[in-house]
Amino acid sequence: DAFQLYYQPQFNMLTGEITGVEALIRWIDNGRVVLPGEFIPISEESSLINDLGEWVVNKACHEYQGLIENGFPPVKMALNISANQFHKSSELLSCIETALTESNLPGSLLQLELTESVLIDDVDETISIINKLKEKEITFAIDDFGTGYSSLSYLKVFPVDLIKIDQSFIHDVEHDASNRTIIGAITVMAHELGLKVLAEGVETQQQLEHLKSHKCDYVQGHFYAAAMPADDLLAKYREETSP
Ligand code: C2E
Ligand code: CA
Ligand code: CA
């Protein structure tokens, strides 16, 4: 019971409307919040990541359904799926199926975030798993785009819906002309292929302005809100939408 999920909202770049939330795991160790960067890589070296991943899917679906019942808007919830977890496909499929059924959350509200490393492993198998999950109306995002193997060919091959441009391109966008070029190019290419683009790690108004000029669709970052517990997310939503 030492794990907890935090949620970070995502917004429409133009309207500022909330369009999604990403679930991010935390380990609360005697009151200290331990970030996933400290334990996810270790758990990925063993089968622990599969147990942890299953816990996340279950907990997130139940908690999120509770949020919606309490008036949170039914926007998509994104879950991070690690490569090990993704390639244990029968376990993953049954875990997601059970969690959706038990929580009564529709698959259309779930988005799975995969990194480029998941996609390069076994192309045919990966496409087949994605398609099975798409039958449940689950959508897919490529996380940390631009930092991995970045084979542009997989944008054509994999049936994903969203590209999340990695924060490293966003953080010094004001000062780094080549980052601006890269962001512009990713966005144009994604749009031509019919994909949406989200910029993550947006911290300042200036960064936001650059991203607007490049026509990114969605934003996520501390400029709007950091990840927070479910109760705080609901309270913040109510506060911001109350007349
Ligand atoms: P990620 O999926 O790329 O998640 C985004 C990270 O950036 C999160 O860190 C988030 O808190 C942080 N972030 C968001 N906005 C900003 C910003 O404006 N500025 C800065 N500096 N940071 C921002 P977090 O929660 O520490 O998670 C780190 C990584 O751990 C995640 O990166 C993801 O790869 C992994 N992770 C988190 N939860 C899970 C999970 O449930 N399962 C798996 N497999 N991995 C997870
Ligand atoms: Ca992510
Ligand atoms: Ca990311």
Side-chain angles (χ1 to χ4, degrees), residues 8 22-26 35-36 40 49 56 80-82 113 143-144 167 171 200-203 221-222:
Q8 186 179 32
E22 178 177 3
L24 295 157
I25 195 169
R26 299 289 181 263
L35 293 172
I40 289 281
I49 187 64
V56 169
N80 292 285
I81 304 292
S82 82
E113 297 194 356
D143 205 356
D144 305 339
Q167 340 199 341
H171 283 162
E200 56 176 6
V202 178
E203 293 179 347
H222 294 168

Side-chain angles (χ1 to χ4, degrees), residues 11 16 26 29 39 75 86 97 130-131 133 135 138 161 172-173 191 232:
F11 299 89
R26 299 289 181 263
D29 183 26
F39 59 91
V75 293
F86 189 79
E97 207 158 279
I130 292 180
N131 281 330
L133 289 160
E135 284 169 18
I138 294 170
D161 307 274
D172 55 357
V173 69
H191 286 163
D232 294 355

Side-chain angles (χ1 to χ4, degrees), residues 88-155:
K88 290 233 175 354
S89 59
S90 52
E91 280 95 333
L92 180 71
L93 285 166
S94 69
C95 159
I96 290 179
E97 207 158 279
T98 310
L100 290 176
T101 310
E102 286 179 356
S103 66
N104 206 21
L105 191 79
S108 58
L109 291 191
L110 217 53
Q111 182 154 68
L112 303 185
E113 297 194 356
L114 308 175
T115 55
E116 293 165 296
S117 61
V118 173
L119 300 178
I120 54 152
D121 270 1
D122 178 336
V123 174
D124 292 335
E125 193 215 352
T126 302
I127 293 174
S128 123
I129 304 169
I130 292 180
N131 281 330
K132 277 190 193 130
L133 289 160
K134 287 210 131 192
E135 284 169 18
K136 301 183 194 309
E137 295 185 67
I138 294 170
T139 54
F140 286 84
I142 303 183
D143 205 356
D144 305 339
F145 188 79
T147 58
Y149 305 83
S150 290
S151 163
L152 299 178
S153 64
Y154 34 71
L155 293 182

Side-chain angles (χ1 to χ4, degrees), residues 63-82:
E63 201 162 43
Y64 196 56
Q65 177 61 24
L67 277 177
I68 291 171
E69 277 164 15
N70 281 294
F72 195 77
V75 293
K76 278 185 201 301
M77 172 177 65
L79 300 181
N80 292 285
I81 304 292
S82 82

